[in-house]
Amino acid sequence: MTKIQYLSLSKGERFLVNTGDFFKGIGTGFVNFFKGIPLALLKLWHKICAPFRTLKNAWVGGTWFTRGNFLIFGFSQFFHKEIFRGILYLLYEAVFIWFLIVIGVPNLAKLGTLGTFAGTSEFISDPSRGTTLSFVSGDNSFQILLYSIVTFLFIIIFIALWYFSIRDAKSLQDNIAVGRLSKNSQFFTDLTNKNYHTLLLAVPLVGLFAFTVIPVVFMIITGFTNYSNAHADLFDWVGFDNYGILFSGSGENSAVVTVFLRVLAWTLLWALIATFTNYFLGMVIALLINKKGIKLKKLWRTILILTIAVPQFVSLLLINRMLSNNGILTDLFVKWGWVKPSFSPFDNVLLARILIIVVNMWVGVPYTMLICSGILMNIPEDLYESARIDGASSFKMYTAITLPYMLFITFPYLLSQFVGNINNFNIIYLLSQGAPTFKSSGIIIPSSFGGNTVGETDLLITWIYKMSMIGDDKNYALACVLGLLVFIVIAILSLVFYGRSNSVKNEEDFQ
Amino acid sequence: MAEKHYASKRLAEKSNRILVYAILILVSVIWVLPFVYLIFQSFINIPSSKSFFPEAGNWTGQNYANLFNKDTPFFSWWINTFIIAFFTAALQTVLVLMTSYALSRLRFSGRQALMKLILILGMFPGFLGMLVIYYILKLLGLNTSVFSLILVYVASSAMSYYIAKGFFDTIPKSLDEAVLIDGGSKNTVFWQIILPLSKPIIIYTILVSFTGPWGDFMFGSYIRVAGGLQASQYTVAVGLQLLANEGHGLHDYGTFCAGAVLVSIPITALFFWLQRYYVEGIAGGAVKG
Amino acid sequence: MASLKLEHIYKVYPNGHKAVSDFNMNIKDGEFIVFVGPSGCGKSTTLRMIAGLEDISSGELYIGDTLVNDMQPKDRDIAMVFQNYALYPHMTVYENMAFGLTLRKVPRAEIHEKVMWAADVLGLKDYLDRKPKAMSGGQRQRVSLGRAILRNPKVMLLDEPLSNLDAKLRGQMRSMISKLHQQLKTTFIYVTHDQVEAMTLGTRVVVMKLGRVQQIDSPQNLYDHPVNKFVAGFIGTPQMNFFNVTLLEGKDDVEVRWSDCEQPSLRISKQSVLKAEKKYLRGDVPVCLGFRCEAVSAEEEELAKKDNIVDVTISHFEELGNETLIYGDLKEIEGLGGESTTSIIIKASSKMGHKEGDVIKARIDVERIHLFDAKSEMTIIPSIPEHNVLPVSIQNEKMDLFGTFNKPVSIPVDFLKDGTISIPLDAITVGKGNVEAKVLLVEDHEDKHLALVKANDKELFVFVDEKVKKGDKIVFSVNYSRATFKDEKEMVVASPLADRDNLFATFVNLKTAYEDTKDENLMAIRNERVNKVNEEYQKIEADFNAEKETAINEASKKEQEIAPEVETKRQELEKKNKELTEKLAQARNEYRTGVKEAKVKHAQIMKDEMAKINAQYKEMWEKEKLDYKESMMKNKDRETRSQRRLSYSIFKESFPQMKQNDVERKTNSLDFEKETELNGLRAKFTQTKTLLTDQIKENKKAFEEECFPLKIVNKEFAKREKELQEKKANDLLHAELIFFFKFNDQFFLIPDDITGRIIQGLGNKVFTKTFRIEVPHYGFKESDKGLPFKVVSFINYGDTKMYKCTGEIFGEKVVVYIDKEREMELGSSVNLEPIIPETQIYENELNIRLY
């Protein structure tokens, strides 16, 4: 199918060809993904054995100073005028060893069984102060798991720094052999020049690791334990049972699989609809405001910004209030006959879902409107003029120029909005709390899966919240399993879209 | 002949414009109505939500009054949140600008990997990690004070580098080189050239990070329960949520509305004052990135 | 004001692509060098390497005589003007220009003075307080120029500064830059892709293509003697005409036959193709003829000369006002005449009455034509030819070249009937040998003198020294080993020996070499160098101490003498210094009052000026109102009234703006005067202050020298002592740094300057690289430490004998030719050691030349 043939097709045929290409694209995407694997593996293999090669010739070719580094970090740096770098290396080694001894080893030992000694508490009557409760603290599996994860992280960093210190020592030795001596002050002048990025990124990265990476790793790992309200202090490895429970659908958990699929379907549907409704309505309003003849542009924009200014949870609680049993809007709905008198609109699934989407539009549209008006302002004017000369109607101009241009520019934003909506907790939690519960429609959900609080309009995220925080069983492990599944779903979807969108590819030359 | 044609064109345009104005007015009404309702609700004393406007006899300033009595110490809530918001805004802006400047301007080996890592971390449901973060705070002995929220917000500031990076990408690279030649180091480039030029994005980041803590009730309520905070230690979001929530003893809908109004006014004022930069930040950063 | 030296500069990107390869150039102080070439030819990369914005993969860059490879851009004392001006948008023009100096902590008064000077030179006086946004492209470019010249750098770098300006402005800026260059005498390096700028600005122009230097020469030489077709095509607008032709040597001239069209062939003098190789003149080798549009003309008086006339069918005209370009073709034009190889452009004064489609006559001035080899695109009449190609025949041991004489033994050819011998110019040594020749003419090129000589009916080119004149008699001899013999069918019968043989080695430092071989004399070299340094320093230290000794006892003697008068001397000092401090205090408050007065004065001037403006505008306003009222009453006619009303409303509208502009301009200029006056005062005060404080220090120093010479002497000697020790430690370290080239298990010492260059090129990766060392035949010497070779065969070249020896290095067979006076039987083994200074050293993997 040459280009010319393609252009000669009618619109309908072209649409078919395009959709065919899209799916073929995904197909070829997977095919060359797998084809790419051996190449990637080879590259990976080179990447892995490169450090070993440097280590080998560091040991073989290295002087005793360089060899010293194998044992003590920064050993040769001290002797060759790079004292500050040496101190840093040594400092880390000392801290690591202290950490390993004090916290690491005891916890790692217990990692296998995640603690056995439950800890006892008995009353000790003491003549002077009456009976007091003395509490002998037992093992706390949570703490053991957390510390062992942190220890693993420290070990990885230790190995990396060990390798770097040796590589530095070897290159130092070569430099000296070649007559290029280093100076102590060089460390600081480099800090503001060559390695300025380390200076800038040090603090943010520490924060990122401590408060984001460790929790995420912890979450993935607890998916393999049975940590829940019942086993609060002492839980132990359960392997893939959690996944088994979720998917086996045997015994009392039979309903779980259907619930999971329905919630997953609703989450994806919700994310799709919410993202596109917000986007298009926002764009339409932006178009209206930016239309040539319209005055008071600033006024309209300011009114809409009001919703962004007021904290989201205030407006959501307010609307929830308006939609509650005897709220203003419920009376309206009753008058229109959508809702039976004494029921709240959240009782029937369809109405609840529509309401959530509408409210989400109310909250989300101003933001997209701002973004779209931002882009509208810098669409080159001559596109419109040439279209007008060609005699395009305003609708044609919209579809031919504005829409494609906007879609191209906002694609990454759209994608991140899509991911954001999948994890959009506030709207559901504050508005409908899951509204019509499955129980009302006859599906029994075991308490470990959030019991009867789980409802039809629950997203995966709110279901997880109910399972881990509110439900009487608080089964954190199962919640983590679901959390991981959410991640996998998002990862696949964004990989497929992200890879194919060209606006990401030319990120580099966009600067 | 031409005369007629000309007239119809103008007519079409006129009616078209009226239609647009009508839609815009409708949209504005829909977007402003809930807040008007909120303000009126804050003046009624019997929480009958039947009528939109409080009836004649129903007006009362009582709701605002009992915001300041003992068990709903709104003022201390407001002060706590203000302090948290202030420090978060200051620290987070610096960290976000540092991260996005490093990712946008400096070329170093792990750059692409770091950006991908942050993207992936964003895909995980956030609050599952809350338990762990709380535990870490407990380790650091901060879990009983509400100001540990500052540490939590600031620590995750590297995640929101995207918009500021988009803005820094637009500044031409030859400025950096000119400074290097004139005798400055990369440090001088950042502080003396890039920051003065990126006033809009700085204000945008300050604005976003200042309004963040006011709206976060999730982590606040978790700390309240786990850390056992007293009433005076809540943040505004936590306090108001308790007021609005039926199950809780403190429940009083009127005071909730009053509290909500008092919270919204300062933030909205701040927004309107810095609106120009907010719009520019979104249009400049979010789109180009 | 500094010279610039670039030696074997390479820029290799990690993926192996060579952006710049082997860039060599010596730029004298004050030259205006222009890098020109199509985009992507590496000209900007080279400039950025000089500036330090890109690091140099290998090779050495000297600014002045300091090696700057690893220096930060800011320490290289260079300034750069960017293509998009790179002005700091948030700073005013004044701050933009002063930013460089403020970073280097220069006192404010000096900065102000310099900025004023730069603004004055560039005519930016009244823009100093403006932001770049509010200025035009030309002004902005002048600001970035000002910022650069302000620091009066050693070298000024300009990266296509004019490409964003419109044509007229570009012309003005060009003349300003060249004026600036004359005025400042700084070395300018200017990058552009517009060859007009290159021709007008540059004292020397470097034409580059795909990372390689094509030609470095003055603009005129580039225009007249392009070294290849690319340079010819690139320089000069409109582009040079190119035609495929063949040359055939006739009786008394050379015939140029068109290959692609049937036009009458041109006749050129033998003289003009003298330097071309004879093979081009046989009519079968495709040659490319090139001439510029002004070398062909269709004017009557030119056509009258009747020679070298061609018919041209005109396709279209381009009228440029003072001249017209006639576009035509030597063949009929089918269709629109797209890609034809016979298109021609003729420069004429006017259309001369012709119209499209006419066939006209045009005469080609054969004095101004260029001839290039069609395949290699190199010119076939180079200013200095590579080698002479002469007919030769050999039978039964007799060679008929310069007269018949018995064939030198070394020529391996026995029978050759009318073949050719090509002798490279540097294989001919003048002044010794048995062949006489008469000098026909002499040309001199920079440092070499080229002479055309005639040796019994054969003409050839040789290098001679400057004493030789036209008509002299010289003798010369030929080193036949370097000559190539070809038979009539151009088949190479005997090729010259490659003048260099390749050896491969790795680079090793003393420690590893010693560990491998435990060879004592390696350490001996080191010890010997170290001892040499130690002895040297012993001597220096000895006479340093001696000097110190004499100075100390002399000082102590003086101290005893002066001891009694110390007291009086001290009072004297205090009195003098007190006086000075008083003067300083007095100068300070004088300055303060001066400043206050100036401020008051200026405030007063400002007030009066403002009052004047207000009055002036008020009066204007009154007059207009009155005039309006009056004219309204006077004329009743509707048209003029509405006209008047309109002009009145316009006046009312523009009045405040006009006034505001005027006020602003006034305040600006007044502020400016105030600023300059205050600065003047401050400068004066700082001057007196520094003067007085220096004097006080002076007195104190003099007093101390007089009364306590010992302390000063000790301090001074301590300082010198420290310097000496530091220098000694440094020299010792360098003495330790000995490096060797390792062949199999033999190690050969590398002289220091060569090691410096190799290390400079490759940094600490030097130990991992393999090196290709090209050793000339005479570059071997016999020594027992040498590499074992076996003599395999020999070629006898009459006066020299070439022995072919084979050996093994790192397992590879290596063939080497050495010329030895003494006899060597075949099969015997000999140890050879390469003389490293004679060799050329390449890094093998990326083929980068290091020495």
Side-chain angles (χ1 to χ4, degrees), chain B residues 148-184:
Chain B
S148 59
L149 283 178
I150 300 177
L151 187 60
V152 173
Y153 298 142
V154 168
S156 67
S157 60
M159 300 283 284
S160 44
Y161 74 90
Y162 199 75
I163 293 186
K165 172 180 182 298
F167 184 84
F168 284 133
D169 290 347
T170 56
I171 301 176
K173 282 252 180 324
S174 51
L175 282 187
D176 298 28
E177 287 160 4
V179 173
L180 287 181
I181 287 195
D182 269 354

Side-chain angles (χ1 to χ4, degrees), chain C residues 108-227:
Chain C
R108 229 147 56 85
E110 202 185 320
I111 295 180
H112 180 77
E113 184 201 312
K114 281 217 159 137
V115 173
M116 285 302 129
W117 166 73
D120 175 27
V121 162
L122 294 162
L124 295 168
K125 214 85 169 102
D126 42 16
Y127 299 115
L128 281 179
D129 53 2
R130 282 220 200 144
K131 287 274 175 59
K133 290 199 285 302
M135 298 173 64
S136 74
Q139 287 156 341
R140 264 185 246 162
Q141 189 54 294
R142 289 208 301 256
V143 171
S144 71
L145 266 173
R147 177 175 67 182
I149 62 176
L150 201 68
R151 299 196 359 255
N152 83 53
K154 286 203 186 102
V155 181
M156 276 279 286
L157 307 174
L158 302 102
D159 187 1
E160 296 190 40
L162 310 182
S163 57
N164 292 3
L165 307 178
D166 59 53
K168 193 168 71 56
L169 207 58
R170 206 176 289 160
Q172 288 161 2
M173 286 302 283
R174 251 206 317 270
S175 55
M176 165 168 285
I177 289 179
S178 55
K179 198 150 50 60
L180 212 59
H181 176 240
Q182 269 108 28
Q183 196 178 350
L184 298 176
K185 294 280 177 296
T186 335
T187 320
F188 271 54
I189 298 185
Y190 187 97
V191 162
T192 178
H193 53 271
D194 168 357
Q195 45 91 20
V196 169
E197 278 169 32
M199 300 298 278
T200 48
L201 288 174
T203 54
R204 271 200 305 165
V205 175
V206 180
V207 181
M208 290 178 78
K209 180 183 175 199
L210 298 177
R212 287 199 169 280
V213 172
Q214 302 296 314
Q215 187 171 0
I216 304 179
D217 218 325
S218 70
Q220 203 45 46
N221 280 357
L222 279 186
Y223 194 78
D224 298 341
H225 306 292
V227 83

Side-chain angles (χ1 to χ4, degrees), chain C residues 500-503 780 789 803-807 812-817:
Chain C
R500 288 179 186 283
D501 305 321
N502 294 352
L503 297 176
F780 283 97
F789 277 86
Y803 288 90
K804 183 176 177 191
C805 321
T806 59
E812 272 169 53
K813 210 171 91 42
V814 168
V815 172
V816 162
Y817 291 90

Side-chain angles (χ1 to χ4, degrees), chain A residues 225-387:
Chain A
T225 67
N226 58 9
Y227 177 61
S228 65
N229 212 358
H231 322 268
D233 286 346
L234 274 175
F235 51 86
D236 34 40
W237 297 103
V238 164
F240 282 87
D241 296 0
N242 288 347
Y243 291 87
I245 296 169
L246 188 66
F247 291 110
S248 68
S250 63
E252 49 151 32
N253 305 342
S254 60
V256 168
V257 178
T258 46
V259 165
F260 173 74
L261 289 180
R262 283 188 40 188
V263 168
L264 180 66
W266 159 238
T267 318
L268 293 181
L269 190 69
W270 146 257
L272 216 63
I273 297 173
T275 320
F276 280 105
T277 47
N278 272 1
Y279 185 72
F280 281 108
L281 195 61
M283 194 198 298
V284 165
I285 296 179
L287 275 172
L288 291 184
I289 293 181
N290 283 333
K291 212 163 163 7
K292 269 211 185 36
I294 301 302
K295 293 194 184 57
L296 297 172
K297 284 192 171 43
K298 234 171 149 342
L299 170 68
W300 308 115
R301 216 171 270 140
T302 330
I303 292 174
L304 284 174
I305 282 188
L306 188 62
T307 37
I308 301 178
V310 172
Q312 214 182 34
F313 87 96
V314 165
S315 29
L316 283 176
L317 280 179
L318 180 71
I319 296 174
N320 180 0
R321 180 88 184 117
M322 288 157 84
L323 288 168
S324 64
N325 288 14
N326 42 34
I328 290 274
L329 291 177
T330 336
D331 299 348
L332 221 63
F333 289 150
V334 167
K335 242 204 264 91
W336 291 340
W338 290 355
V339 168
K340 287 192 289 313
S342 70
F343 278 82
S344 93
F346 289 113
D347 285 346
N348 92 42
V349 181
L350 191 61
L351 184 60
R353 285 182 175 167
I354 293 166
L355 273 181
I356 293 176
I357 290 171
V358 165
V359 169
N360 179 46
M361 278 204 295
W362 183 78
V363 169
V365 156
Y367 196 77
T368 41
M369 184 276 294
L370 283 184
I371 288 193
C372 293
S373 51
I375 308 168
L376 280 179
M377 273 181 249
N378 52 37
I379 289 186
E381 201 40 42
D382 45 29
L383 284 175
Y384 287 109
E385 273 136 20
S386 63

Side-chain angles (χ1 to χ4, degrees), chain A residues 61-63 171-181 186 189-190 193-194, chain C residues 70 72 74 507 509 511 733-734 737 739 759-767:
Chain A
T63 59
S171 71
L172 202 62
Q173 177 200 327
D174 291 349
N175 277 344
I176 291 161
V178 154
R180 284 199 188 139
L181 296 179
Q186 190 60 25
T189 39
D190 274 358
N193 250 317
K194 201 150 55 75
Chain C
D70 305 330
Q72 294 279 354
K74 58 177 187 287
F507 186 85
N509 67 8
K511 205 157 63 52
L733 181 89
H734 275 289
L737 284 182
F739 295 94
I759 291 168
Q760 187 53 54
L762 297 167
N764 63 19
K765 292 201 278 310
V766 87
F767 300 108

Side-chain angles (χ1 to χ4, degrees), chain C residues 276-440:
Chain C
E277 280 179 41
K278 293 296 169 279
K279 70 174 181 184
Y280 289 109
L281 305 178
R282 276 203 291 282
D284 52 5
V285 174
V287 168
C288 173
L289 166 71
F291 51 85
R292 296 200 186 278
C293 54
E294 65 266 18
V296 56
S297 84
E299 313 288 348
E300 267 61 25
E301 65 283 355
E302 280 295 322
L303 292 174
K305 292 180 184 144
K306 287 282 178 289
D307 61 344
N308 297 330
I309 305 283
V310 281
D311 324 334
V312 174
T313 34
I314 300 174
S315 73
H316 63 281
F317 294 96
E318 250 183 30
E319 266 144 295
L320 310 165
N322 57 3
E323 64 200 18
T324 316
L325 292 180
I326 306 171
Y327 285 75
D329 202 302
L330 299 184
K331 279 195 292 196
E332 296 76 25
I333 306 162
E334 317 87 23
L336 278 173
E339 275 312 308
S340 99
T341 59
T342 53
S343 65
I344 186 167
I345 307 167
I346 302 165
K347 184 178 280 184
S349 53
S350 73
K351 279 174 105 172
M352 294 187 289
H354 303 302
K355 54 182 173 18
E356 278 82 4
D358 286 6
V359 177
I360 59 166
K361 290 256 180 277
R363 178 182 174 280
I364 298 171
D365 170 1
V366 279
E367 292 312 314
R368 294 190 284 177
I369 60 161
H370 307 280
L371 294 165
F372 306 102
D373 179 325
K375 210 159 34 54
S376 76
E377 290 196 357
M378 297 304 288
T379 177
I380 60 171
I381 26 175
S383 52
I384 300 176
E386 280 246 340
H387 34 72
N388 299 302
V389 178
L390 303 170
V392 71
S393 58
I394 301 172
Q395 309 119 346
N396 49 49
E397 297 307 314
K398 280 271 180 285
M399 188 160 93
D400 166 19
L401 180 58
F402 306 115
T404 55
F405 50 90
N406 44 30
K407 172 177 85 80
V409 156
S410 65
I411 300 175
V413 177
D414 311 333
F415 175 78
L416 186 63
K417 187 137 179 1
D418 55 44
T420 59
I421 173 173
S422 94
I423 308 164
L425 253 61
D426 48 20
I428 302 166
T429 42
V430 172
K432 109 165 137 62
N434 41 31
V435 184
E436 291 122 9
K438 197 158 87 56
V439 174
L440 299 180

